[in-house]
Amino acid sequence: TILVCGIVVALLNWSSPVVKPAGTVKKMPAVSSPVSTMEKGAGNAAATSKMPVKWPAGVEAAKSDNLAMQTLLGIWGLEGFASDKEWGCQYAENNGLRCLVGQSGLAALLRLNRPAILKMRNKDGQNFSVVLVAESGGRLKLRHGDKVINAVSADLATHWSGSYVLFWRPPIAYSESIRPGHKGRDVDWLAEQLALVAGEEYNARSEPATFNDSMVRKIKKIQFDHDFIPDGIVGKETIILLNTLTGAKVPYLRKIGA
């Protein structure tokens, strides 16, 4: 009997796992969310909030969209928008701006460095819109009407679809993306921006500039250095980047160089 009991005890001791102190347990990494997988280059934006964010509830989607559009237009100094008369983007274009409607991860949106309307959904499945008005050290400041919402990227993970709307300022005579070989006033503007970025003096020419190989190389380097697709084409996002690098007087999410 003593021998049998000894064998049973030995088997139990052999099969039982050794429990380590709580402080030595290694946690498994959390499963990445659609937002957090895009956070490369977004600083500390993936940190978690100390308090749960209280998202708007019980608000009609259309009313929330109009409120967000009024807020964004106001940030750009445009007042008097009436949603029953025209679409917000049309109103912006009538006042010298352009509208960029897109979908991306948070890091890509932050690279554009412009206030933006974010299309959201609360826990009850209700759609609403907020305006991302500032970002600093990974902390996000959003507005819903007069209400200010402080958050971080993790707070957006299950609420933001990645859809956004923002405004940007085009160069004079802009009609389409500026491509290699183009010439005209928009290329003159581009040549001036490249000189400003390089800290060089720009000397206007009597004849329209041509988007030549030298300019293409400079654009590709700027795009590459700032995590944009280095395709050498000056489209909406690259124009936004050039405006930022040259210190254009437009609203920013964060101060230049921050």
Side-chain angles (χ1 to χ4, degrees):
T1 303
I2 294 174
L3 178 59
V4 172
C5 290
I7 293 172
V8 171
V9 171
L11 288 172
L12 289 173
N13 288 336
W14 177 79
S15 60
S16 300
V18 177
V19 179
K20 296 182 180 180
T24 63
V25 177
K26 184 177 180 180
K27 294 183 179 180
M28 295 297 291
V31 177
S32 297
S33 68
V35 172
S36 62
T37 56
M38 300 296 292
E39 292 313 299
K40 184 179 179 181
N44 298 319
T48 55
S49 296
K50 294 182 179 179
M51 296 294 291
V53 174
K54 293 183 179 179
W55 298 111
V59 181
E60 293 182 8
K63 182 177 180 180
S64 180
D65 290 346
N66 291 334
L67 192 62
M69 185 60 73
Q70 288 176 346
T71 299
L72 187 58
L73 287 166
I75 291 172
W76 282 83
L78 299 178
E79 305 292 344
F81 166 65
S83 59
D84 58 333
K85 294 182 179 180
E86 58 185 330
W87 187 39
C89 282
Q90 184 62 53
Y91 184 81
E93 291 192 12
N94 290 341
N95 286 275
L97 301 177
R98 292 294 178 91
C99 201
L100 176 58
V101 179
Q103 187 167 22
S104 72
L106 183 59
L109 178 59
L110 293 180
R111 281 197 293 272
L112 296 176
N113 198 12
R114 296 292 184 275
I117 297 173
L118 307 185
K119 301 292 185 177
M120 310 283 287
R121 177 172 293 185
N122 63 24
K123 64 179 181 179
D124 298 321
Q126 298 171 321
N127 295 322
F128 66 96
S129 295
V130 295
V131 181
L132 176 60
V133 298
E135 185 272 337
S136 178
R139 299 289 171 176
L140 310 176
K141 181 179 180 181
L142 306 111
R143 280 181 55 189
H144 186 263
D146 294 331
K147 181 181 179 182
V148 175
I149 303 171
N150 294 307
V152 294
S153 64
D155 298 317
L156 303 183
T158 57
H159 299 282
W160 181 44
S161 65
S163 296
Y164 66 85
V165 179
L166 60 78
F167 299 143
W168 59 284
R169 190 179 301 283
I172 297 174
Y174 174 84
S175 60
E176 59 181 358
S177 296
I178 309 171
R179 297 175 178 272
H182 281 191
K183 65 170 54 178
R185 295 177 64 189
D186 51 356
V187 181
D188 290 337
W189 172 87
L190 178 57
E192 183 177 7
Q193 304 313 297
L194 289 174
L196 289 172
V197 171
E200 300 171 352
E201 183 177 350
Y202 174 69
N203 296 314
R205 301 177 181 179
S206 58
E207 297 182 357
T210 300
F211 192 6
N212 57 28
D213 290 343
S214 175
M215 293 176 69
V216 172
R217 287 194 294 271
K218 292 177 182 180
I219 284 295
K220 284 186 174 182
K221 185 178 187 309
I222 290 172
Q223 291 170 328
F224 182 83
D225 288 347
H226 293 85
D227 294 327
F228 284 61
I229 298 174
D231 56 8
I233 298 172
V234 183
K236 300 173 183 177
E237 295 185 355
T238 300
I239 290 175
I240 292 172
L241 174 60
L242 289 171
N243 284 341
T244 298
L245 296 177
T246 56
K249 294 182 179 180
V250 297
Y252 297 98
L253 285 178
R254 58 190 177 278
K255 293 181 179 180
I256 301 174

